[in-house]
Amino acid sequence: MSSVKNALTQQVLEEAFGWHLTLEGGDSTTEQRQAFHAWIERDPSHAAAYAQAAENWEAFSAISRDQLENDVSACVASAPDQHGVEGIPRKKAGWRIALPLATAATLSLAVAIGWSLWAGTETRLGSPQDFLASYETQIADQQLVTLNDGSTVLLSAATKLTAALSADARDVNLVRGAAIFDVASDPGRPFSVTAGRVEATALGTVFEVRNNGGVVRVAVEEGRVEYASALVVGDNQTDIFNRRELNSGEYGATPEGARSDVFGTFENDRFAAWRQARLDYEGATLTELVADANRYSEIPIVIRGRRESISDITVSAYFESTDTESMLAALPQLFPVEVDQSAENMVVIRIH
């Protein structure tokens, strides 16, 4: 691994830690939140870095003063305000250190925690029950992992998620892709999966979460799941959630930017059909279909044109994940598009 990549990763993680300290108190300004959203949208890695920073910082802040007293320079409370990413002041909560005030050793520890997750390794801090990990699959790949609480997760192709398990909570962030969660029963530790602006919380159940093409979907095969989607006002996501219970055979979906969620039922054989190399859709947009196809195609597929002009067109269909050609051939029959495969290194879908 090159020193250049390490440096870039450290910079992203430092920025993510700075944003977490700025926003965690709940009293950030509108300008700060807008700047944060702009930072998130600037690079696909930023959302994953921020999710990891939030999880890492909780474990990092649990380390005792004694463990860090030789690494922290002076007392944060007596230090002047420092500035984080793009001039946003970093808040100081309790004894938590602002990154610019940390010595090289402390900063290295914080970033090392983040880097270990970034690289797909596991980290345990504080209590033996603290567990932080990151998992990622490649195109057309699947992986079954077991968390330290006994829960199993089957990751679909081109999927990435992070997991943070502590003594009183089990939190997973599905950065992209799809995964099936077979949750070990532990009523004292809710199991929650966050994807986009949706949070699915279960106690002993089997369910699927998909975060793909701007659409988050949750389907329950067994047990119950609380489906919570954040309310959007204007272009801003709020801290107010619409909550609904999903039972076995029910699903919920939240398209990006949508003002309302979609709920329905499904047949048992349609649950997580990608396990049998089948991509099954109910009310899917072109963007979602193409994003899914890209998780199985070695050649990238891109959309050109005004997507909003066909955003209200949805289809219900299924395709074989191993047969991208059939999906591409079917798209002009489903949407007003043209598929151009003349280039060797790209497939272009042009919206009429």
Side-chain angles (χ1 to χ4, degrees), residues 63-320:
I63 300 175
S64 70
R65 288 174 183 259
D66 291 338
Q67 290 174 275
L68 291 176
E69 65 180 0
N70 294 326
D71 294 321
V72 179
S73 57
C75 177
V76 172
S78 62
D81 285 343
Q82 302 295 316
H83 287 78
V85 182
E86 297 185 0
I88 304 289
R90 288 195 176 108
K91 297 199 308 296
K92 298 176 284 293
W95 71 273
R96 294 180 179 179
I97 59 172
L99 289 177
L101 297 179
T103 63
T106 301
L107 179 56
S108 296
L109 174 60
V111 175
I113 296 170
W115 170 245
S116 68
L117 294 186
W118 196 280
T121 58
E122 299 173 0
T123 303
R124 287 174 174 80
L125 299 168
S127 163
Q129 292 178 298
D130 290 342
F131 176 88
L132 305 174
S134 179
Y135 305 97
E136 184 171 6
T137 54
Q138 304 304 310
I139 290 176
D141 189 22
Q142 291 185 19
Q143 181 183 3
L144 179 66
V145 299
T146 301
L147 305 182
N148 77 333
D149 70 329
S151 299
T152 60
V153 184
L154 179 61
L155 284 73
S156 183
T159 293
K160 182 173 183 177
L161 61 79
T162 61
L165 278 62
S166 65
D168 56 4
R170 295 175 288 176
D171 297 316
V172 174
N173 178 39
L174 180 64
V175 180
R176 63 173 181 270
I180 301 171
F181 301 89
D182 190 344
V183 181
S185 180
D186 188 347
R189 289 198 297 168
F191 191 104
S192 297
V193 180
T194 300
R197 61 187 176 97
V198 172
E199 182 177 83
T201 303
L203 291 174
T205 190
V206 179
F207 65 106
E208 177 199 22
V209 181
R210 294 169 60 183
N211 184 6
N212 196 52
V215 180
V216 176
R217 297 180 181 272
V218 176
V220 182
E221 182 181 47
E222 178 183 311
R224 297 179 298 110
V225 170
E226 181 188 68
Y227 187 96
S229 62
L231 179 67
V232 173
V233 177
D235 294 327
N236 298 316
Q237 178 177 316
T238 71
D239 293 329
I240 301 173
F241 285 82
N242 296 316
R243 301 180 184 275
R244 173 165 171 164
E245 183 178 290
L246 299 179
N247 296 299
S248 176
E250 296 180 339
Y251 73 86
T254 300
E256 184 178 31
R259 296 293 183 255
S260 60
D261 306 315
V262 178
F263 298 97
T265 60
F266 61 89
E267 299 297 328
N268 290 338
D269 62 351
R270 299 185 66 181
F271 177 78
W274 48 264
R275 291 176 297 181
Q276 287 77 45
R278 190 177 76 173
L279 303 177
D280 205 331
Y281 302 98
E282 185 73 34
T285 63
L286 174 66
T287 300
E288 187 177 7
L289 292 178
V290 171
D292 239 359
N294 273 320
R295 296 197 295 114
Y296 295 88
S297 175
E298 295 290 345
I299 300 177
I301 306 168
V302 299
I303 301 174
R304 299 279 170 77
R306 296 178 59 251
R307 302 189 189 193
E308 59 270 21
S309 66
I310 60 171
S311 60
D312 59 342
I313 302 177
T314 61
V315 299
S316 297
Y318 73 86
F319 304 94
E320 299 299 321

Side-chain angles (χ1 to χ4, degrees), residues 39-60:
W39 179 80
I40 286 290
E41 294 172 359
R42 191 175 306 148
D43 189 291
S45 67
H46 289 177
Y50 182 80
Q52 291 169 358
E55 296 166 355
N56 301 347
W57 194 255
E58 288 305 312
F60 184 65

